[in-house]
Amino acid sequence: MERLKQMRLRRAFFLLALCGLLAAAALAAALWMGCRAVYSRYPLGGVSIDVDGTITPLPQPTPEQLRMLRALDIAGLLGWILFPVMGLAASGALFYRWKLKEPIALLLEGTRRIQAHDLDFSIPPTPPDELGQICAAFENMRRELLKTNRELWRQAEERRRLNAAFAHDLRNPITVLKGSVSLLRQNPSDEQALDRLERYTWRIEQYVEAMSSIQRLEQLPVRPETVSLSVLKTELEETARLLAPALETAVRGPEEGTAELDHGMFLTVAENLTGNAARFARKRLALTLTLERDHLLLSVEDDGPGFPPELLKGGPKPFGKTGEGHFGMGLYSSALLCRKHGGGLRLENRPGTGAAALASLKINREF
C-alpha cells in the first residue's frame, strides 16, 4: 500500500488495472470451470457408437435441463465480459481513493479558504506524485501570498504611523506660525516674529523633505550585484574617516570573498548608522563587518550614553527626535532598507561600552 502511494499516477493506475484484470481473469476462469463441472452432470442427448458398431441412444435432457445448460453457457460467457469490467471499475475506485481523493480534497479546501481571504493554514505533506507536486506548489503559493499580505499590511501600518507622526509633529510649527502671523499683523516690524517665521518655515521644509525621502525609500527596488568584501571594508573605513574625523575609529571585516547585495542600500545603511553613532560617541567608534550564513552583518558601536529606553523598546520611529535638527529618520530609514533587503536592524546598549546598532542584509555569497 505505501509503495503504491509513493508511485507516479500513471504507474499506479497501470498496476491497479493490471491487478484488476488478472483477478477478473482468475474469477472468470473459475466460473467457467465451475459451469463446465455442473454442465457435465446433465445429459446431453445424442448417440454412443461402440467399437463393434453398436449404436446406443443417450438420454435426452428434459426441457428444464436444457434451460439450465443454456444458463450455464451464458453464465460462463458473461463471466469473461463482466468480471474484467468489474475489475477495471474496482481498480478505478481504488485508484481514486488511494491516489486522488486526499490531494483533491486538500486543494479544494485550500482554494475555498483562500477565496475567503484566510491564509492561516497549511497543506500537509502528500505523496511525491504529480498531484503531490501540485499540492506542494499550492502550499508554496499560499506561503508567498501570506508573506506578501503581511508585507503589505506592514507597509500600510508603517505608512499610517509615518503619517500620524508627520501630522503630530507639524501641529506645533503651524501653531507658532499662526501666532507669528498674528503678531506681524499687529506690529509688522517685529524682528522676533520674523525670526520665528523663518525658523519654523525651515523646520516644516525639513519635515516635508524627510517625508518625501521615506516615500522614495519605500518604492526603491532591490538591485543585487556581486561586490568584493574587501571593497566594502575599504568603503566603511572611508565612511568612518569622513563622518567621524575626530574620533578613534576601528574597522574590522573579511579581506576575501564576495557577496551579492544592493551596494547602494548597504552604503546608505552604513552612512546612516555611522553618522548617528558619531554624533553621540565620546572618543571611540567601531565598525565590524561579518558573514553569518546567508546574511551580511554590520555592527556599529560607540562609547556614548547609549540609546534611550523608549527607542530600544519600540524601535526606530519616524520623526522621533534624537537631537536638535534631527528627526530620527536615519535609524528609521536604515531599518526600512534592511527589511527591504530581507534583514533587519537591532539596537542595544552594551554595558559599560555604549550603544550598538546591528544591521543585517540577506545575501548570496560566493568564495
Side-chain angles (χ1 to χ4, degrees):
M1 177 69 71
E2 291 301 324
R3 291 187 61 183
L4 183 67
K5 289 185 177 181
Q6 301 298 321
M7 290 182 183
R8 296 282 184 173
L9 294 180
R10 182 184 303 176
R11 185 176 179 183
F13 180 77
F14 175 79
L15 182 60
L16 284 173
L18 180 61
C19 292
L21 289 176
L22 291 176
L27 290 175
L31 177 62
W32 178 265
M33 294 174 63
C35 289
R36 290 297 92 189
V38 176
Y39 197 91
S40 63
R41 298 177 183 177
Y42 289 87
L44 302 178
V47 296
S48 174
I49 302 175
D50 295 334
V51 178
D52 57 0
T54 305
I55 298 175
T56 305
L58 296 175
Q60 296 296 322
T62 64
E64 291 79 7
Q65 289 175 337
L66 284 175
R67 286 194 294 270
M68 179 60 70
L69 291 173
R70 293 192 190 99
L72 290 173
D73 288 334
I74 294 173
L77 291 174
L78 287 178
W80 289 104
I81 298 174
L82 294 179
F83 279 127
V85 173
M86 293 172 60
L88 289 176
S91 299
L94 292 176
F95 179 76
Y96 173 78
R97 180 172 181 178
W98 291 342
K99 300 293 289 183
L100 303 181
K101 183 178 180 180
E102 182 182 0
I104 290 176
L106 291 174
L107 290 174
L108 289 176
E109 177 64 15
T111 302
R112 184 190 65 79
R113 296 187 68 169
I114 289 178
Q115 288 176 343
H117 306 286
D118 178 14
L119 296 174
D120 191 17
F121 68 96
S122 63
I123 294 182
T126 53
D129 53 23
E130 290 84 346
L131 274 178
Q133 294 175 4
I134 294 176
C135 289
F138 192 93
E139 173 65 12
N140 291 335
M141 180 191 71
R142 183 201 64 82
R143 290 176 182 173
E144 290 299 321
L145 284 174
L146 182 60
K147 180 180 177 181
T148 301
N149 282 3
R150 286 176 175 173
E151 180 64 20
L152 290 175
W153 181 86
R154 186 194 62 78
Q155 290 180 1
E157 185 67 15
E158 287 290 336
R159 191 170 288 111
R160 185 192 65 78
R161 290 173 53 191
L162 182 63
N163 293 335
F166 183 67
H168 178 270
D169 281 4
L170 276 182
R171 291 174 184 171
N172 288 339
I174 291 175
T175 302
V176 173
L177 288 177
K178 286 181 179 180
S180 300
V181 170
S182 299
L183 291 176
L184 285 174
R185 284 178 177 174
Q186 299 174 8
N187 183 12
S189 60
D190 190 344
E191 293 295 333
Q192 291 184 350
L194 287 173
D195 289 341
R196 279 195 300 271
L197 277 175
E198 181 179 6
R199 185 168 65 254
Y200 279 91
T201 300
W202 173 78
R203 185 175 175 182
I204 291 177
E205 183 181 1
Q206 280 192 311
Y207 275 125
V208 173
E209 179 60 30
M211 187 75 173
S212 300
S213 66
I214 290 298
Q215 296 289 348
R216 289 194 297 269
L217 286 178
E218 288 182 343
Q219 300 172 0
L220 189 66
V222 180
R223 295 189 175 92
E225 58 180 304
T226 302
V227 185
S228 172
L229 296 178
S230 61
V231 171
L232 296 181
K233 180 183 176 183
T234 302
E235 290 173 340
L236 288 179
E237 294 172 347
E238 183 69 14
T239 300
R241 185 180 65 82
L242 293 175
L243 297 181
L247 298 175
E248 176 186 345
T249 59
V251 179
R252 295 183 294 272
E255 298 288 348
E256 298 180 352
T258 60
E260 190 174 342
L261 77 165
D262 190 306
H263 196 188
M265 283 191 180
F266 171 81
L267 291 179
T268 301
V269 171
E271 291 169 0
N272 287 341
L273 297 183
T274 303
N276 183 78
R279 286 172 41 226
F280 297 98
R282 297 186 179 96
K283 297 180 180 180
R284 184 182 60 83
L285 190 65
L287 285 76
T288 305
L289 192 65
T290 56
L291 287 170
E292 185 176 297
R293 296 184 181 178
D294 58 346
H295 281 76
L296 180 68
L297 306 182
L298 172 62
S299 173
V300 180
E301 303 179 37
D302 63 73
D303 59 349
F307 294 113
E310 58 272 14
L311 183 59
L312 293 176
K313 182 178 180 180
K317 293 182 174 59
F319 302 105
K321 297 179 179 59
T322 59
E324 182 64 28
H326 296 277
F327 305 109
M329 303 306 288
L331 292 176
Y332 179 76
S333 61
S334 296
L336 178 63
L337 290 177
C338 289
R339 284 196 299 267
K340 286 182 70 69
H341 213 293
L345 178 65
R346 188 172 78 247
L347 306 178
E348 58 186 33
N349 290 332
R350 304 283 175 81
T353 59
L358 183 63
S360 65
L361 290 86
K362 191 172 183 179
I363 61 168
N364 294 320
R365 60 182 183 183
E366 300 175 1
F367 294 96

